[in-house]
Amino acid sequence: MFRKILIANRGEIALRILRACKELGIDTVAVHSTADADAMHVRLADESVCIGPPPARDSYLNIPSLLAACEITGADAVHPGYGFLAENARFAEILADHKIHFIGPKPEHIRIMGDKIEAKKTAQRLGIPVVPGSDGGVGSDEDAQRIAAEIGFPVLVKAAAGGGGRGMKVALTADDLSQALSTARSEAKAAFGDDAVYLEKYLSTPRHIEVQVLGDGRGAAIHLGERDCSLQRRHQKVWEEAPSPVITAAQRAEIGETVAKAMRDMKYLGVGTVEFLYENGAFYFIEMNTRIQVEHPVTEMVTGIDLINEQIRVAAGEPMTLTQADIVFEGHAIECRVNAEHPTTFRPSPGRITHYHVPGGLGIRVDSNAYQGYSIPPHYDSLVGKLIVHGKTRDECLMRLRRALDEFVVDGIDTTLPLFRTLVRTKDIAEGRYDIHWLEHFLAETVHKAG
Ligand code: ADP
């Protein structure tokens, strides 16, 4: 097992990783920018190193600074969390060159899944159902027109290097296609330095359902069920739940085994998430994330398994002790991402938290690095924390979530708590009837009514 882990991240996930390390008896090194000197995980870590000024490219993305921090402290492994360098294959290779373990998948798997065309080809080869579309990238506009006619409109133009919903354009008809291609290409070029695009059938009312996996890198792999992350704003997840309100145990077992088998064939190492769109009872692969995800706690709440603990163990080369039969799903869990943003305009609201009180009681979990008097810096994402609630049934979970949201106090800044207090009392949500467009429509309507 590792002796000392350097946590190459910040915010709630840095604290989450630190907690897993403490329980495993592993020493921790926190790294931080000058803006994060007062962060909770920095206070709780065994050692801390300042790695640079506030801009992420000068601190959390600064590989030479991170290497120096490893050398100074003698850390033998790095946990990258999510975001920043978590899906940077080059970073994993550089660490390996310095005999430091990267707590994540093999670099070649990070690379394949980071290229959406390669990822889709690999998924298809491994027997995972994909969205109908072009076989790889599209070249000329004529090729694109021919392929689009075969797939049938509407089609979606997507960037091979895509991420965060950028470089994605819908073409409703053949007339829209060349415009969609050129917009997607230039957006992709600007955002990722790569203008390769491909075509996919545009699904009109899908849900976003993803499968959690864990592999030991030697051919053992299991799934830990699904999460429904259909409630999104601008392709960003807002509310996640496990299990999905629309998936049966038989469907879970089937898609789960399909994905787990693919991971066994790949000899996948660590935790990962295979993301699908789900429409009319069918799953369509869109991408795989080769890291721990923000929404991992809902899976932990329904399985009782500490995913970060398992991730660290397999990265250290320990054989997997869990088998598929050990994964038993109990009850229902929902996560709300509480952001430092205005609840209707979503304007970022960094600043000092003057009063802070978290809800408690049975089935309540708050993953947050915030505390009374803490100042949310303006340089990074606006996540204040995650409220995760577990109940024996979805109805009990919703009831508990309602009262937990009412107990939660974060004063001094705007937060999205009022949005969740409304959502949890909305009929469609209570009945589990929503797709990936539901939240945008709901927000447009409520703002329209209010204005
Ligand atoms: P990114 O990596 O940019 O986040 P994804 O492939 O994960 O891109 O897609 C992000 C979101 O875009 C999905 O969650 C879904 O809302 C929408 N989307 C992606 N592909 C399709 C599709 N073929 N049809 C309809 N919506 C899609």
Side-chain angles (χ1 to χ4, degrees), residues 116 120 131-132 154-156 158-159 161-168 170 192 198-209 229-230 232 234-237 275-277 279 284-289 436-437:
K116 300 185 129 204
K120 205 170 161 182
V131 188
V155 297
L156 189 61
K158 294 175 85 169
R166 280 173 303 177
M168 226 185 313
V170 186
F192 316 109
Y198 63 105
L199 294 185
E200 241 171 33
K201 173 94 192 142
Y202 179 73
L203 303 174
S204 58
T205 55
R207 296 178 79 110
H208 173 117
I209 298 180
C229 315
S230 301
Q232 302 182 357
R234 301 204 170 153
H235 301 303
Q236 300 295 314
K237 297 163 188 167
E275 297 193 335
F276 294 94
L277 294 178
E279 195 170 71
Y284 303 95
F285 171 88
I286 47 171
E287 68 169 343
M288 178 170 183
N289 292 317
I436 60 169
H437 305 296

Side-chain angles (χ1 to χ4, degrees), residues 143-443:
D143 280 350
Q145 286 289 2
R146 187 178 43 75
I147 297 163
E150 275 168 32
I151 310 169
F153 285 94
V155 297
L156 189 61
V157 184
K158 294 175 85 169
R166 280 173 303 177
M168 226 185 313
K169 283 283 161 284
V170 186
L172 293 176
T173 65
D175 292 341
D176 302 336
L177 186 58
S178 55
Q179 183 61 52
L181 283 165
S182 74
T183 312
R185 282 201 182 100
S186 54
E187 248 183 60
K189 182 83 190 165
F192 316 109
D194 175 1
D195 67 358
V197 296
Y198 63 105
L199 294 185
E200 241 171 33
K201 173 94 192 142
Y202 179 73
L203 303 174
S204 58
T205 55
R207 296 178 79 110
H208 173 117
I209 298 180
E210 57 188 35
V211 176
Q212 175 71 53
V213 293
L214 171 69
D216 72 354
R218 290 184 290 234
I222 57 168
H223 75 87
L224 291 100
E226 83 287 3
R227 295 183 285 262
D228 194 320
C229 315
S230 301
L231 287 173
Q232 302 182 357
R233 179 180 168 268
R234 301 204 170 153
H235 301 303
Q236 300 295 314
K237 297 163 188 167
V238 169
W239 158 308
E240 301 98 347
E241 47 185 303
S244 166
V246 299
I247 298 296
T248 64
Q251 283 176 299
R252 173 172 313 114
E254 190 186 342
I255 191 68
E257 176 50 25
T258 300
V259 172
K261 180 179 181 304
M263 296 303 120
R264 290 195 286 272
D265 290 350
M266 273 179 93
K267 297 195 165 59
Y268 186 77
L269 172 63
V271 294
T273 300
V274 179
E275 297 193 335
F276 294 94
L277 294 178
Y278 174 83
E279 195 170 71
N280 299 327
F283 287 92
Y284 303 95
F285 171 88
I286 47 171
E287 68 169 343
M288 178 170 183
N289 292 317
T290 53
R291 54 168 162 83
I292 193 76
Q293 286 193 276
V294 177
E295 60 272 25
H296 76 274
V298 289
T299 299
E300 295 185 326
M301 300 300 271
V302 296
T303 60
I305 290 178
D306 182 327
L307 283 168
I308 302 214
N309 176 311
E310 297 299 331
Q311 183 189 26
I312 293 170
R313 284 168 181 281
V314 292
E318 290 194 0
M320 221 158 71
T321 50
L322 293 169
T323 65
Q324 195 62 56
D326 297 322
I327 310 302
V328 181
F329 303 97
E330 268 175 44
H332 197 93
I334 295 176
E335 172 180 279
C336 298
R337 296 194 192 189
V338 181
N339 285 340
E341 291 169 1
H342 189 275
T344 58
T345 65
F346 299 98
R347 186 170 22 83
S349 177
R352 188 162 175 275
I353 297 175
T354 53
H355 285 96
Y356 186 69
H357 176 78
V358 295
L362 184 63
I364 308 291
R365 166 174 172 183
V366 177
D367 276 20
S368 171
N369 60 324
Y371 54 87
Q372 191 146 318
Y374 175 65
S375 276
I376 300 191
H379 315 280
Y380 313 104
D381 69 33
S382 58
L383 189 63
V384 180
K386 307 179 301 199
L387 169 62
I388 306 111
V389 175
H390 183 258
K392 284 196 292 292
T393 61
R394 188 167 186 270
D395 281 343
E396 185 181 85
C397 186
L398 285 167
M399 176 194 73
R400 197 164 272 163
L401 179 58
R402 269 177 221 126
R403 73 100 179 136
L405 284 163
D406 290 343
E407 280 178 41
F408 211 152
V409 179
V410 185
D411 285 346
I413 57 168
D414 287 332
T415 75
T416 48
L417 279 168
L419 169 67
F420 291 114
R421 291 186 188 119
T422 306
L423 290 179
V424 77
R425 291 175 173 86
T426 303
K427 191 161 177 282
D428 283 349
I429 302 277
E431 292 172 357
R433 284 193 287 111
Y434 54 82
D435 62 26
I436 60 169
H437 305 296
W438 187 92
L439 183 58
E440 295 273 9
H441 290 158
F442 175 80
L443 290 170

Side-chain angles (χ1 to χ4, degrees), residues 58-82:
D58 299 324
S59 48
Y60 299 104
L61 292 170
N62 185 336
I63 295 176
S65 290
L66 289 164
L67 284 175
C70 288
E71 300 237 312
I72 294 166
T73 57
D76 55 349
V78 169
H79 196 305
Y82 52 67

